[in-house]
Amino acid sequence: FVFERGVAVVAEKTWQARRAAGVVEIEWEAGKLAGFDSEALRLAMEARSFEPGSAVRVEGDVSAALAREDVTVIEATYEAPFLAHATMEPQNCVAWYKGDEIELWAPTQSSTIIQSVAQQLTKLPKERVIVHTTLMGGGFGRRASHDFPAEAVMISMKLKKPVQIIWSREEDMRTDYFRPQALAHFEAAIDEDGKVAGVSAHVITQSIIGQSDWFGTVFPHWIPDVTRTMLSRTALGLFNTGTVTDPTSTEGLSEMPYAFETTRVEYSQLNVPVPVGFWRSVGHSFNGFFAEGFVDELANAAEKDPFEFRKELLGSTHPRELAVLEEAARRANWGTPTPEGVGRGIAVHHSFASYCAQVVDVRIVDGKIEVERVVCAFDCGMVINPDIVKAQMEGAINFGLSAALLQEITFVDGLPQQSNFDDFPLLRMNEAPEIEVYIIESSAAPTGAGEPGLPPVAPALANAIHDAVGVRLRRMPMQAALTEALADRGAVSYTH
């Protein structure tokens, strides 16, 4: 039967319903994404990056710095694709509508939002909407959305029975709230002494906060529905017209810690109908790559060691970034010769009130990127359970490497082209690097540990690849980018 979100096939058993769904013939409308093409969007973003954006950070006159006669101007454009969350457990939920009460069992990161959505759908009082939060096979931000529980509620209300909704892998991957496609254009001025006179960054991406189908759920339950709707529309209007800048779009760039003489960060919001959502480390996941990749380019242009260059720019004003940077470099034996054919890269990033630096060792074999080792230094304040912190770092590093090396979601005529792990691969066990995690002892208040391990790994990897083969990769996934770059150079294999 048709319901509010599509067509439901219901049976007593999962595979009975799945087989039945396979023979149902459905004629779909093209929908809001008709004609949408992610490659065309990429080209449009690149063109827009040269136009003025909304300023989110201005320190000094960057334009004057770039116009100086005694400087060299460095320009670069960095890109990141749409990404699915690809949780090992596809989205699922059990809902049991009983007329005067509803119970839900869901692997969710947002029990309160699910309760609010179920309350709006059933019109039941809050105390009659019971949500049981189960264990989950991966979240990464995907299970902060409420689409799959809403479907279970709608179908259970129609059948007046308990319903378990289970998405297939293909349904899960193609109807995600994707990590948004993003692009950043940089300009920087370096004087004859290797000093950075100014850095300008312009980020173009969608607003995650301005997604209309969940925004209204964040307001308190005691606010009347009509008022909640009005507040939601007003807030959405502020984000989607650019009146209010979405901080998740520029986080990781807008607060770069380096002591450049002048700094300007701008943002231009994309308004395209692709549903986007929180993806592990959110804006930091791409802005960390953008910022730390470009800082390495500045170090190369200034003919300085990338570690020493960062250390000098951090100075004494950012002691915690400096501490993890120095610890990662020391543990990785930075400055000593690497084995033949191995490149080494470094990056440091502050996110979720924590500080993380990583050094990556990489080897290029017949054009294939092989990550050999990742050394991670991490400061999240006082640590209660070091094993959990280390596990989070290891998971974030492997998750980040999967995205950096291999993953992208592309759209052609509005349809995602990837659907399973054959064309959206995860890092396999035999591809995973040796990981060393070193925790900085601290008496500061505990802070984030689930997400801050991800942002530094992509730029450290890109910087290591440049060290290994002299190719500067500015877009992900890097394996495809490197294959293209080496083909353009007329070779498939390089050594250090």
Side-chain angles (χ1 to χ4, degrees), residues 317-381:
T317 57
H318 292 85
R320 296 179 76 176
E321 281 103 334
L322 185 60
V324 293
L325 181 73
E326 291 180 327
E327 180 71 357
R330 182 178 72 86
R331 296 287 190 172
N333 298 316
W334 186 272
T336 63
T338 59
E340 184 178 355
V342 173
R344 181 168 288 164
I346 194 168
V348 61
H349 196 79
H350 170 220
S351 63
F352 304 93
S354 294
Y355 305 81
C356 188
Q358 292 172 9
V359 175
V360 169
D361 286 357
V362 70
R363 187 186 299 272
I364 311 301
V365 179
D366 294 330
K368 186 177 186 297
I369 301 168
E370 295 184 359
V371 184
E372 295 195 338
R373 182 175 72 148
V374 179
V375 175
C376 173
F378 186 57
D379 175 5
C380 61

Side-chain angles (χ1 to χ4, degrees), residues 96-317:
W96 187 2
Y97 179 70
K98 308 171 187 178
D100 61 346
E101 181 182 85
I102 186 167
E103 281 192 84
L104 294 97
W105 292 261
T108 177
Q109 295 172 258
S110 55
S111 302
T112 305
I113 290 178
I114 287 178
Q115 185 185 48
S116 178
V117 169
Q119 183 186 13
Q120 292 176 30
L121 289 170
T122 61
K123 308 302 181 186
L124 291 169
K126 178 183 176 181
E127 61 271 14
R128 305 300 293 173
V129 180
I130 302 164
V131 178
H132 305 278
T133 303
T134 69
L135 296 174
M136 65 181 74
F140 319 123
R142 177 62 180 94
R143 300 186 198 276
S145 302
H146 64 259
D147 49 344
F148 55 99
E151 291 186 1
V153 170
M154 293 172 184
I155 297 170
S156 184
M157 288 176 66
K158 187 175 184 68
L159 298 179
K160 305 295 191 296
K161 293 181 179 181
V163 168
Q164 180 186 42
I165 186 164
I166 300 177
W167 288 8
S168 69
R169 172 65 58 200
E170 290 75 14
E171 290 165 343
D172 192 359
M173 194 167 289
R174 286 177 167 165
T175 57
D176 204 338
Y177 285 80
F178 302 97
R179 202 270 308 266
Q181 188 166 313
L183 179 147
H185 179 73
F186 292 92
E187 291 182 273
I190 299 181
D191 67 20
E192 296 169 351
D193 297 323
K195 300 281 188 181
V196 181
V199 171
S200 171
H202 185 184
V203 181
I204 299 95
T205 190
Q206 285 176 263
S207 167
I208 293 173
I209 291 180
Q211 288 293 297
S212 60
D213 62 346
W214 67 268
F215 207 100
T217 64
V218 301
F219 294 106
H221 290 279
W222 53 263
I223 296 177
D225 288 347
V226 174
T227 306
R228 187 188 291 118
T229 300
M230 291 176 61
L231 288 171
S232 178
R233 287 176 179 171
T234 301
L236 282 169
L238 293 174
F239 281 108
N240 291 327
T241 59
T243 306
V244 176
T245 300
D246 182 349
T248 68
S249 298
T250 59
E251 61 184 2
L253 260 179
S254 56
E255 64 271 37
M256 280 188 295
Y258 300 113
F260 305 131
E261 292 181 18
T262 62
T263 304
R264 181 178 64 219
V265 178
E266 298 179 340
Y267 169 57
S268 291
Q269 181 173 306
L270 289 177
N271 290 309
V272 295
V274 177
V276 295
F278 302 104
W279 190 94
R280 193 170 189 171
S281 77
V282 200
H284 294 282
S285 68
F286 47 82
N287 286 323
F289 169 56
F290 298 164
E292 283 294 286
F294 189 63
V295 166
D296 226 64
E297 293 198 54
L298 297 183
N300 295 157
E303 299 182 347
K304 295 184 178 181
D305 175 84
F307 162 67
E308 297 294 342
F309 184 73
R310 287 173 170 83
K311 184 177 175 181
E312 179 183 336
L313 286 170
L314 288 172
S316 60
T317 57

